[in-house]
Amino acid sequence: MKAPPRLSLAVQYAVDPSRAPSRTRLRRWAARALQRDCRVTVRILGAAESRRLNREFRGQDHATNVLTFIYGDSPAEGDIALCAPLIAREARAQAKTAEAHWAHLVVHGMLHLQGWDHVSDPEATAMETLETRIVIELGYSDPYRIAA
């Protein structure tokens, strides 16, 4: 019998931790998206750092909700950067709970770390289908469903 994948998770808070999920919640969400052994650092950051990273690595001069940086391949190694103030704003704008939005973005980042992408339409459909299944298994609503 094959052993389940293992997760090594470190969490860094560059913002007040009370503005972000606990290490326990982050680990739970990341573990649910685990498909292979992974070593990941989740960094919770502010808008200025998110903007700097997005500009430096993606050439886009604005903060973004999640960035994934892949460093290795076996096991998957990397960083997931999550922008606390932007995630809070997006959750309000999308009429979601902040917790549900955080969970979705952690799952999204974990899938990127494991090789999933959404560059082409077929890739996007496959990734969004998997994200939706995982987020629903975690007890939240479909993250791509627009609130009426």
Side-chain angles (χ1 to χ4, degrees), residues 120-141:
S120 70
D121 287 342
E123 287 175 325
T125 298
M127 186 172 175
E128 288 175 12
T129 298
L130 181 56
E131 282 176 60
T132 299
R133 181 180 59 78
I134 294 168
V135 169
I136 288 171
E137 286 173 358
L138 285 165
Y140 305 105
S141 298

Side-chain angles (χ1 to χ4, degrees), residues 1 8 15-16 20 22 24 32 39 48 66 82 92 99 111-113 115 119 126 130 142:
M1 180 179 353
S8 172
V15 298
D16 178 357
S22 69
T24 302
R32 181 61 77 152
R39 192 173 3 202
V66 60
L82 295 153
R92 285 190 302 274
E99 182 176 320
L111 292 179
H112 273 307
L113 184 69
V119 175
L130 181 56
D142 179 342

Side-chain angles (χ1 to χ4, degrees), residues 2-146:
K2 186 177 178 183
R6 292 181 316 236
L7 174 64
S8 172
L9 179 76
V11 179
Q12 300 174 350
Y13 291 97
V15 298
D16 178 357
S18 69
R19 297 177 53 202
S22 69
R23 294 173 195 277
T24 302
R25 285 188 191 264
L26 293 166
R27 172 174 283 289
R28 178 175 170 258
W29 299 330
R32 181 61 77 152
L34 204 57
Q35 298 177 324
R36 57 192 283 198
D37 290 350
C38 285
R39 192 173 3 202
V40 60
T41 298
V42 173
R43 182 168 174 81
I44 312 299
L45 43 84
E49 185 177 359
S50 175
R51 180 179 180 182
R52 181 183 60 75
L53 290 171
N54 201 24
R55 183 176 53 238
E56 185 175 334
F57 292 99
R58 295 182 64 227
Q60 297 183 20
D61 192 20
H62 57 84
T64 188
N65 53 18
V66 60
L67 289 167
T68 303
F69 300 94
I70 300 169
Y71 299 123
D73 190 39
S74 183
E77 294 181 54
D79 296 339
I80 299 173
L82 295 153
C83 181
L86 183 54
I87 292 170
R89 264 196 319 275
E90 288 176 347
R92 285 190 302 274
Q94 296 171 21
K96 298 177 181 178
T97 66
E99 182 176 320
H101 198 39
W102 277 99
H104 174 223
L105 293 173
V106 169
V107 167
H108 184 87
M110 285 297 294
L111 292 179
H112 273 307
L113 184 69
Q114 296 170 95
W116 289 84
D117 212 337
H118 47 80
V119 175
S120 70
D121 287 342
E123 287 175 325
T125 298
M127 186 172 175
E128 288 175 12
T129 298
L130 181 56
E131 282 176 60
T132 299
R133 181 180 59 78
I134 294 168
V135 169
I136 288 171
E137 286 173 358
L138 285 165
Y140 305 105
S141 298
D142 179 342
Y144 291 103
R145 189 163 172 225
I146 305 299

